[in-house]
Amino acid sequence: MSESPFQTEPNPRDQAPQFVLPLVVRIEKSAPPARTDALETAARAVLVMLGDERSVGEGEWAQIMRDWQDARIRKVVRRARGAEWRRAGELPGITVAGKSAEVRVFPPVPLDGWPKELAKLQVSGTDLDDPDPLADVEPGTVVLWMSPDVEMSAGKAMAQAGHGAQLAWWELSEDERDAWREAGFPLAVRTADRQRWRELTSSGLPLVRDAGFTEIAPGSCTVVAEHPALRTR
């Protein structure tokens, strides 16, 4: 994990031009999404963007995706409703729907080069709840385990879940990626208990250490990505 772009130590990635992957979550006043569903949908949105044919090879987003991944892997989640959401939907991107959540992910943009339709959307204070108990996770499911010790807004947690999904994606073989993509990127987000968290952080599975740009202290361990294929290595 020494090459992880989420770690805080000085890294050659810091010398590259910096970009951010924008995600916008739809939060209507009358029907906000459930928190965990929003986290899971954001993680799938990142995977859909990574696996899209426009993001690889000679695709129209391929160069900006490479530039983004050559630097620190930043993601910012903003919220929109009503006309804001409709305007965001007119920009190039991909909308991913969960059970109650909708998240639109856009090709990376320079840190100071956000489209005006997205730049004016609110980023801070995005918080959500889970109104119903979470279902048990079926054996063999990809799980993004959140730290029990780090308090985060829903928006921050959505970005962290996306980081975890991306680290898992990077460590999979092409065949494993294809299988996950063809299945629709099924995954679950859950908060580990403290004993489980200690085991996970020493397991060798992909671990996100946040760079500390917003909300939480630099170096905080936030997510472990448990993909079944990575457990066998």
Side-chain angles (χ1 to χ4, degrees):
M1 296 297 295
S2 60
E3 295 302 315
S4 169
F6 305 109
Q7 296 204 12
T8 57
E9 295 80 4
N11 190 295
R13 292 174 181 272
D14 295 324
Q15 306 306 314
Q18 299 293 303
F19 296 87
V20 61
L21 187 79
L23 298 105
V24 175
V25 57
R26 184 179 186 181
I27 303 182
E28 301 289 348
K29 283 186 176 180
S30 60
R35 179 185 174 99
T36 296
D37 188 45
L39 269 60
E40 292 171 348
T41 305
R44 281 197 302 273
V46 171
L47 293 165
V48 169
M49 174 60 77
L50 289 167
D52 193 277
E53 62 183 8
R54 291 166 288 184
S55 297
V56 298
E58 300 301 318
E60 61 183 290
W61 300 336
Q63 186 58 57
I64 193 68
M65 289 292 288
R66 286 192 290 269
D67 291 343
W68 170 60
Q69 293 180 86
D70 283 343
R72 292 283 184 176
I73 310 302
R74 300 189 187 190
K75 301 177 182 72
V76 172
V77 177
R78 297 176 184 259
R79 64 183 186 272
R81 65 173 183 262
E84 296 172 333
W85 175 256
R86 291 191 292 274
R87 285 192 291 270
E90 294 171 356
L91 298 176
I94 305 169
T95 298
V96 176
K99 296 181 180 69
S100 62
E102 287 183 85
V103 175
R104 188 163 178 84
V105 59
F106 304 86
V109 298
L111 283 177
D112 57 355
W114 284 68
K116 64 181 186 299
E117 294 89 347
L118 303 182
K120 61 186 179 183
L121 298 178
Q122 293 293 317
V123 62
S124 62
T126 300
D127 217 345
L128 300 165
D129 296 313
D130 282 312
D132 300 312
L134 299 178
D136 292 337
V137 176
E138 294 291 329
T141 301
V142 179
V143 183
L144 304 175
W145 293 101
M146 309 296 290
S147 169
D149 300 317
V150 181
E151 295 272 341
M152 293 181 281
S153 68
K156 179 69 173 181
M158 289 169 68
Q160 298 298 301
H163 291 341
Q166 186 166 0
L167 286 185
W169 173 262
W170 281 350
E171 293 202 17
L172 296 174
S173 69
E174 286 299 323
D175 286 345
E176 291 162 345
R177 290 179 179 181
D178 288 345
W180 200 10
R181 182 195 300 112
E182 289 167 8
F185 294 118
L187 57 85
V189 174
R190 295 292 187 271
T191 299
D193 62 39
R194 285 184 169 82
Q195 180 178 344
R196 177 70 169 144
W197 183 248
R198 287 193 294 271
E199 294 168 354
L200 287 164
T201 54
S202 60
S203 66
L205 289 167
L207 171 65
V208 178
R209 295 180 186 271
D210 190 64
F213 295 120
T214 61
E215 289 195 27
I216 60 179
S220 298
C221 297
T222 58
V223 182
V224 172
E226 185 177 24
H227 190 294
L230 302 180
R231 270 292 191 191
T232 61
R233 296 178 183 174

